[in-house]
Amino acid sequence: AADLQEPGWAAQLVAAGALDPAQPTCWILEGLVYYLEPHTVPPLLREAASVSAPGSSLVVSVVSEATVAGIKARKKAGASTASNVGSSLMEKFKFGVPGGPEQWAEYFGACGWRVLGAPFWEEAAAQYGLTPEREQRAQQAPTTTPNSADVAGNVKQASQQGSGALT
């Protein structure tokens, strides 16, 4: 086991034979980074990039700093985040990516990754033909659905830039 918030976690995985830096890796950080301390996220992303061969990818669901600030403000004001936003788990969010989607390429670039796509959950769902009405029908009858990582809100897909160089 390795604590992703502590430097050196990637070396632990390599030493244990669980990661081969010579092979492309797909990192899936869905539902993770917004629960981490903000100062730990850039080093985590940089460390993953440092042990990722060309062709590696990163899929990460994120929220903005403004979203996290809004959740905290509602909680401080005594408003229930669960009833207003959808989940009491959101009250535990700590990290949000600075700026809006137009700045996220710069943020991830500084961490060694090139953003390939940044759809909001509605856009990602629409790519699969999902609408609120179809989602309600889907809940009534079992169907095959796309991988949740493909339709998660604010999914970031990025590719490793190699040697930390920005492109």
Side-chain angles (χ1 to χ4, degrees), residues 74-144:
R74 284 189 294 278
K75 183 177 179 182
K76 187 175 181 178
S80 170
T81 306
S83 64
N84 293 334
V85 181
S87 173
S88 62
L89 290 175
M90 294 176 84
E91 293 177 353
K92 299 184 183 337
F93 284 7
K94 298 176 184 177
F95 170 76
V97 180
E102 55 281 348
Q103 288 89 31
W104 293 351
E106 181 179 341
Y107 177 85
F108 283 92
C111 295
W113 297 93
R114 183 172 50 93
V115 173
L116 301 177
F120 284 95
W121 75 267
E122 297 96 337
E123 295 165 349
Q127 290 173 353
Y128 292 98
L130 300 175
T131 63
E133 298 82 27
R134 287 193 66 189
E135 289 179 21
Q136 289 172 355
R137 286 195 305 268
Q139 291 173 0
Q140 296 169 359
T143 60
T144 302

